[in-house]
């Protein structure tokens, strides 16, 4: 029996040899294993050494005694590796000391928390250990980056598929590591959003904030106010056809995000940025007259009618339906650039709407203008100021943070992926200045806002506003290479922060983006490999 099996595996290896004989040769760089620390985000701790592990035709993916979720992660890993390696990579729940082993819980998982993992690689196996399935998933992203970039291709490639020997122990600095996509200014389909989610997951981003409504379009179906989407969703910047998500579409986005361990935070921006809603329902306007749909890019001209009772019936219905279809903890209520709302009205509106979020079992998130009203207990404010933001505004945010409001940091001249890299960037805006790759990486979330206690910072988020962006290629050109830098600020310990080292690791991602079909910007200052 044993001999029989040996013979079989010899045959398999031989077959694998002939099958790959016709494949393009692997570059020298790909033949030597990637060092364990050449990963983004930088792992918290790396101990290199020992023999590498090589994935081959006999490799199994083991989930010893595997629970449902651990098996799903194993299945995801198998699907990731099979096309390029050409190996079967069967997933098994049998114990064994060889192959790729995914272990949930146990002694070795102590201290790894909700998202951490340990990766041990040696001659016989590579083992991922985590306390929670999210940790296994993040470990898989590390494993993936340690393999040659060709592993991302969907057709058979030549190996070897080697993982350097040693141990990585890795836990995140912040629990909130977000990216925002504006699907209002230009609409993006479910497929486009899923594609972006997959790109975010590669860098251990765990939150997708969807900007679902703005002046130019309402993108989420609300059954009690159907015109919001049928009319309010019918256009976009430049006058295109727009679009919207049915509840089933939205659930599909949430399902896909969850499969990549991302939580979705939906945003309904209020009381400004509401022209699409005002155009859809005349009764929401103070004068009872619906304005026309808007396809330009100006901000700050619209407002819900704060004194009117119908406004709160509307808000209640929208937040109730949104809460019912959102498993995550947060509902984002916007609150930025309400330039057509008086300060008194803004405060009255925010104070009235925040308890509605709580009534439907959710926690309020808002842009940092929320700190100019009275943030409720537990509220999260998203800071989007920049170097030109005045000291009073910063002080107001810091003051709220000292009184318990938690912050997500998205400084516009650092974290906004829609800012041009430099004057020659064909897409994007520049109101916050130019944001080159180094600038977006080179700051520290813990010390960025003076007077904010470190514990008030939940994490970071990279927003991508879409006034000038209408295709996935546009999104990717703006997000790559800056998004991985924000992801690293969210995950990696401050001690790993170093532009000179980071730019080398960043450059090493380029072949992976090529293999994934991501058209990144070859930004100056990064030693990109020759094409
Ligand atoms: C400011 S950031 C806005 C958005 C724009 C963005 C463009 C924020 C909360 N409001 O309405 O799309 O600038 O960069």
């Amino acid at each position: 029996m044993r001999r029989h099996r040996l013979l079989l595996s010899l045959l398999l290896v031989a077959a694998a040899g002939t099958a790959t004989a016709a494949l393009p040769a692997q570059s020298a760089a790909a033949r030597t294993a990637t060092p364990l620390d050449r990963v983004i985000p930088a792992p918290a701790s790396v101990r290199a050494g020992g023999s590498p592990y090589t994935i081959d035709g006999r490799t199994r993916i083991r989930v010893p005694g595997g629970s449902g979720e651990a098996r799903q992660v194993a299945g995801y890993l198998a699907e990731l590796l099979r096309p390029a390696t050409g190996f079967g990579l069967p997933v098994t729940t049998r114990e064994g000391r060889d192959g790729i082993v995914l272990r949930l819980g146990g002694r070795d998982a102590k201290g790894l928390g909700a998202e951490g993992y340990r990766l041990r690689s040696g001659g016989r196996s590579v083992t991922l250990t985590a306390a929670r399935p999210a940790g296994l998933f993040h470990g898989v992203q590390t494993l993936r980056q340690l393999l040659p970039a060709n592993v991302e291709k969907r057709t058979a490639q030549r190996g070897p598929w080697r993982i350097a020997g040693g141990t990585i122990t890795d836990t995140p600095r912040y629990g909130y590591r977000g990216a925002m996509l504006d699907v209002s200014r230009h609409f993006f389909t479910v497929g486009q959003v899923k594609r972006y989610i997959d790109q975010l997951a590669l860098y251990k981003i765990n939150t997708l904030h969807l900007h679902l409504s703005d002046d130019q379009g309402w993108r989420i179906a609300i059954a009690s106010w159907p015109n919001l989407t049928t009319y309010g969703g019918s256009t976009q910047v430049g006058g295109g056809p727009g679009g919207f998500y049915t509840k089933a579409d939205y659930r599909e986005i949430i399902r896909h995000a969850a499969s990549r361990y991302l939580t979705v935070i939906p945003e309904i921006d209020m009381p400004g940025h509401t022209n699409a809603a005002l155009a859809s329902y005349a009764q929401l306007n103070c004068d009872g007259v619906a304005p026309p749909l808007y396809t330009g890019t100006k901000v700050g001209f619209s407002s819900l009618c704060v004194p009117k009772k119908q406004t709160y019936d509307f808000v209640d219905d929208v937040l109730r339906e949104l809460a019912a279809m959102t498993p995550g903890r947060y509902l984002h209520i916007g609150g930025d650039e309400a330039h057509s709302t008086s300060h008194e009205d803004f405060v009255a509106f925010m104070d009235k709407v925040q308890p509605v979020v709580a009534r439907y079992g959710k926690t309020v998130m808002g842009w940092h203008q929320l700190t100019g009203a009275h943030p409720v207990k537990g509220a999260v404010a998203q800071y989007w100021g920049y170097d030109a933001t005045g000291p009073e505004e910063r002080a107001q945010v810091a003051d709220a943070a000292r009184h318990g409001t938690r912050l997500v940091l998205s400084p516009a001249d650092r974290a906004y992926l829609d800012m041009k890299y430099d004057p020659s960037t064909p897409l994007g805006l520049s109101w916050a200045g130019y944001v080159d790759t180094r600038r977006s990486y080179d700051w520290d979330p813990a010390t960025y806002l003076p007077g904010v206690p470190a514990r008030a910072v939940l994490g970071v988020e990279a927003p991508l506003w879409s006034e000038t962006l209408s295709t996935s290629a546009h999104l990717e050109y703006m997000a790559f290479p800056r998004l991985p830098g924000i992801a690293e600020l969210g995950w990696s310990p401050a001690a790993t922060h170093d532009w000179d080292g980071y730019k080398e690791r960043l450059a090493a991602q380029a072949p992976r983006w090529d293999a994934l079909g991501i058209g990144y910007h070859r930004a100056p200052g990064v030693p990109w490999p020759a094409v």
Side-chain angles (χ1 to χ4, degrees), residues 182 185 211 214 267 269 273 299 336-337 367 369 384 416 418-419 429 431 465-467:
D182 171 8
R185 272 52 177 275
H211 186 75
D214 211 302
E267 178 189 354
D269 201 349
H273 290 280
V299 297
D336 60 312
E337 297 175 323
W367 296 106
Q369 280 70 20
W384 62 282
Y416 269 32
D418 64 310
M419 289 300 122
L429 306 174
W431 64 263
W465 300 96
S466 64
E467 285 95 332

Side-chain angles (χ1 to χ4, degrees), residues 33-353:
T34 302
L36 292 185
D37 56 3
R38 200 179 300 160
V39 167
I40 296 179
S45 140
V46 172
R47 216 158 16 94
S51 321
Y53 176 72
T54 305
I55 301 175
D56 62 24
R58 287 158 304 177
T59 300
R60 288 162 181 268
I61 301 180
R62 297 186 184 276
V63 214
S67 78
E69 264 198 89
R71 270 163 78 171
Q72 273 174 28
V73 176
Y76 163 86
L77 173 63
E79 276 169 36
L80 211 64
L81 302 183
R82 279 176 191 143
T85 62
F87 303 141
L89 302 172
V91 174
T92 171
T93 53
R94 291 226 194 100
E95 268 295 347
R97 300 198 161 274
D98 63 318
I100 303 176
V101 186
L102 269 51
R103 254 182 226 288
L104 204 52
R107 263 213 337 250
D108 206 32
K110 276 229 176 81
L112 295 175
E115 294 191 291
Y117 67 93
R118 181 169 293 118
L119 180 152
R120 290 185 198 276
S121 173
R124 288 187 64 182
S125 66
V126 51
T127 302
L128 287 172
T129 308
R132 308 281 313 137
L136 286 181
F137 184 83
H138 296 319
V140 162
Q141 302 310 319
T142 296
L143 182 66
R144 181 179 175 187
Q145 289 189 27
L146 292 173
L147 287 165
N150 270 352
V151 79
E152 307 294 347
K153 297 203 172 139
R154 300 292 84 186
T155 54
Q157 306 293 314
R158 186 187 285 271
W161 307 104
R162 212 167 269 159
I163 296 150
T167 304
I168 296 177
T169 304
D170 202 9
T171 53
R173 182 181 186 190
Y174 293 111
Y176 188 113
R177 303 179 307 279
M180 189 211 80
L181 186 60
D182 171 8
V183 297
S184 177
R185 272 52 177 275
H186 281 98
F187 180 66
F188 294 89
T189 63
V190 173
Q192 289 173 307
V193 176
K194 284 182 173 180
R195 182 177 162 88
Y196 197 49
I197 288 170
D198 288 348
Q199 294 165 1
L200 300 174
L202 178 54
Y203 297 102
K204 303 185 174 73
I205 297 275
N206 67 359
T207 305
L208 174 67
H209 166 185
L210 282 177
H211 186 75
L212 289 168
S213 70
D214 211 302
D215 293 318
Q216 296 87 345
W218 186 286
R219 308 298 182 201
I220 180 70
I222 300 295
S224 50
W225 297 75
N227 278 355
L228 289 172
T229 42
T230 54
Y231 184 66
S234 67
T235 192
Q236 60 186 2
V237 167
F244 65 90
Y245 307 124
T246 63
K247 293 196 179 195
D249 289 338
Y250 180 73
R251 288 206 173 91
E252 174 59 14
I253 291 173
I254 286 177
R255 189 202 60 75
H256 187 78
S259 78
R260 305 300 188 248
Y261 291 86
L262 277 92
T263 302
V264 172
I265 299 181
E267 178 189 354
I268 298 297
D269 201 349
M270 305 179 279
H273 290 280
T274 44
N275 189 76
L278 296 168
S280 305
Y281 287 97
Q283 70 263 37
L284 293 177
N285 297 269
C286 281
D287 62 4
V289 180
L293 291 170
Y294 182 69
T295 60
T297 59
K298 285 209 271 295
V299 297
F301 62 88
S302 56
S303 179
L304 289 174
C305 185
V306 173
K308 237 179 178 174
K309 179 184 172 299
Q310 284 103 312
T311 297
Y312 303 95
D313 296 339
F314 166 78
V315 169
D316 197 281
D317 287 337
V318 168
L319 293 180
R320 175 171 32 78
E321 291 195 32
L322 198 59
M325 54 179 146
T326 301
R329 178 184 331 169
Y330 297 108
L331 296 188
H332 200 305
I333 57 173
D336 60 312
E337 297 175 323
H339 305 322
S340 303
T341 319
S342 71
H343 177 68
E344 295 67 42
D345 274 3
F346 179 79
V347 174
F349 181 84
M350 283 309 195
D351 289 355
K352 228 164 149 169
V353 167

